[in-house]
């Protein structure tokens, strides 16, 4: 019973309703029918009410799903936004690239499932290699510099993807660059959150970060789906319609512009921590002081 009481059931339900309403609004925003407009207004009303209820519940809950006090810390909220955008980018690419590969020419590469997997393979390989090594890099360079470097690399890769995605090789090469940047930024962002959070709140802080990342991972593909559904084209001799080149340009441009935010946030975090060190850094300084006194 005590464990059940510690579960924030009300907060979970209201948050689920809020997120679901927002995703449905994104999905129906591409249509102009009277029914869709009425449904969007109803969903917006439900989502807004649910959001306010969620905030009220979280303030009163003894074990909140989202600790609102932690979000008042500018470093924690900045690192969380950085991570949300990196996960949004990753899951959006996971959805977009297979559609691009399997669409018929000249709208896509007209490849099969194996070709789609092969083109995305460099992304997964680089991510697999960089994710474990990122921990080693961060242990040597700290959290801030790898996070800034990773944000810059992923930004370069995304702008390159926007400009150059006409061949399978270019898409694979850009995905590899993006994967290297995202892995560094994600590992650095998670470490910044954990080191900034007081130890007694480390568990709930990590849970909040994972929750926000999942939200970002669900919003990104929904936005990409709107672009692909709104901009359609027909290939002569092929039944049905497919996403046009404009849809991919809009998706990659949106991701490239969004990548500017993590870079700016990483620089902001560096400036903020330079003025106010992390708790772990303060503990290290205290330990060295005690050693000198002995």
């Amino acid at each position: 019973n005590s464990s059940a009481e510690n579960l924030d059931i009300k907060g979970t339900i209201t948050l689920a309703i809020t997120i679901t309403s927002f995703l449905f609004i994104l999905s129906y925003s591409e249509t102009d029918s009277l029914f869709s407009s009425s449904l969007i207004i109803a969903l917006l009303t439900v989502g807004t009410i649910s959001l306010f209820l969620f905030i009220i519940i979280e303030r009163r809950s003894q074990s909140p799903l989202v600790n609102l006090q932690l979000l008042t810390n500018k470093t924690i909220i900045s690192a969380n936004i950085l991570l949300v955008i990196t996960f949004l980018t990753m899951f959006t690419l996971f959805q977009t690239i297979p559609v691009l590969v399997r669409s018929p020419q000249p709208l896509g590469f007209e490849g099969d499932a194996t070709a789609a997997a092969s083109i995305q393979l460099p992304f997964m390989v680089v991510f697999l290699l960089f994710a474990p090594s990122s921990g080693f890099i961060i242990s040597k360079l700290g959290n801030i510099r790898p996070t800034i470097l990773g944000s810059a690399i992923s930004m370069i890769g995304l702008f390159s993807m926007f400009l150059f995605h006409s061949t399978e090789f270019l898409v694979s090469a850009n995905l590899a660059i993006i994967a290297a940047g995202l892995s560094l930024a994600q590992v650095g962002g998670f470490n910044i959150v954990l080191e900034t959070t007081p130890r007694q709140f480390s568990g709930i802080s990590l849970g909040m970060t994972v929750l926000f990342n999942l939200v970002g991972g669900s919003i990104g593909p929904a936005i990409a789906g709107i672009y692909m559904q709104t901009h359609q084209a027909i290939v002569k001799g092929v039944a049905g319609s497919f996403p046009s080149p404009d849809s991919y340009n809009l998706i990659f441009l949106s991701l490239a512009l969004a990548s500017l935010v993590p870079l700016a946030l990483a620089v902001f975090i560096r400036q903020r921590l330079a003025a106010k060190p992390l708790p772990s850094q303060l503990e290290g300084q205290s330990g060295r002081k005690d050693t000198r006194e002995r």
Side-chain angles (χ1 to χ4, degrees):
N1 293 333
S2 60
S3 60
E5 292 176 356
N6 291 331
L7 295 176
D8 189 9
I9 303 297
K10 295 180 181 179
T12 303
I13 294 174
T14 52
L15 179 62
I17 294 174
T18 302
I19 296 173
T20 304
S21 300
F22 179 68
L23 293 177
F24 271 119
I25 290 173
L26 290 177
S27 300
Y28 283 101
S29 61
E30 64 194 48
T31 57
D32 298 326
S33 64
L34 179 61
F35 171 77
S36 298
S37 300
S38 301
L39 183 60
I40 289 175
I41 294 175
L43 289 171
L44 182 61
T45 303
V46 171
T48 304
I49 294 174
S50 180
L51 177 60
F52 279 109
L53 289 176
F54 173 74
I55 295 174
I56 294 173
I57 291 171
E58 295 307 285
R59 285 182 173 178
R60 297 178 179 179
S61 176
Q62 294 182 351
S63 300
L65 186 67
V66 175
N67 191 317
L68 300 179
Q69 291 182 348
L70 289 177
L71 295 182
T72 60
N73 186 303
K74 294 181 180 180
T75 303
I76 294 178
I77 190 62
S78 298
N80 272 287
I81 295 174
L82 183 152
L83 289 171
V84 166
I85 295 177
T86 60
F87 274 79
L88 182 151
T89 299
M90 184 169 62
F91 281 92
T92 303
L93 291 173
F94 285 163
Q95 172 179 297
T96 304
I97 299 304
V99 178
L100 172 63
V101 174
R102 303 206 64 181
S103 295
Q105 295 181 350
L107 303 178
F109 302 145
E110 202 168 348
D112 54 12
T114 303
S118 299
I119 290 176
Q120 293 183 98
L121 184 61
F123 182 96
M124 302 308 301
V125 171
V126 172
F127 207 94
L128 179 64
L129 294 176
F130 262 80
S133 61
S134 297
F136 175 77
I137 295 173
I138 286 176
S139 66
K140 297 297 182 180
L141 301 178
N143 295 324
I144 305 302
R145 280 183 286 180
T147 304
I148 294 176
L149 178 62
S151 300
I153 292 174
S154 61
M155 180 195 67
I156 293 171
L158 287 167
F159 273 101
S160 178
M161 179 72 82
F162 165 63
L163 296 173
F164 310 106
H165 56 267
S166 58
T167 66
E168 297 180 4
F169 173 77
L170 288 175
V171 172
S172 293
N174 288 325
L175 285 176
I177 297 172
I178 295 169
L182 291 180
S183 61
L184 284 171
Q186 287 180 6
V187 174
F190 271 109
N191 283 353
I192 290 172
V193 171
L194 289 176
E195 292 194 5
T196 306
T197 305
R199 289 186 178 181
Q200 64 269 29
F201 299 117
S202 59
I204 189 173
S205 180
L206 182 59
M208 288 166 46
T209 301
V210 173
L211 173 64
F212 293 148
N213 292 339
L214 293 176
V215 172
S218 62
I219 292 176
I223 296 175
I226 292 175
Y227 284 140
M228 288 189 284
Q229 184 63 30
T230 305
H231 300 81
Q232 295 274 310
I234 299 175
V235 178
K236 187 176 180 179
V238 181
S241 59
F242 303 88
S244 68
D246 289 339
S247 65
Y248 302 114
N249 289 331
L250 287 171
I251 292 171
F252 296 142
L253 177 60
S254 298
L255 293 178
L257 294 176
S259 68
L260 297 173
V261 178
L263 181 59
L265 290 174
V267 174
F268 168 77
I269 292 172
R270 181 183 66 176
Q271 295 174 346
R272 182 172 174 80
L273 293 182
K276 185 178 180 181
L278 294 169
S280 59
Q281 295 174 333
L282 294 175
E283 291 175 1
Q285 295 173 2
S286 176
R288 289 192 295 269
K289 181 178 179 181
D290 292 342
T291 303
R292 290 195 299 267
E293 289 177 352
R294 292 193 187 98

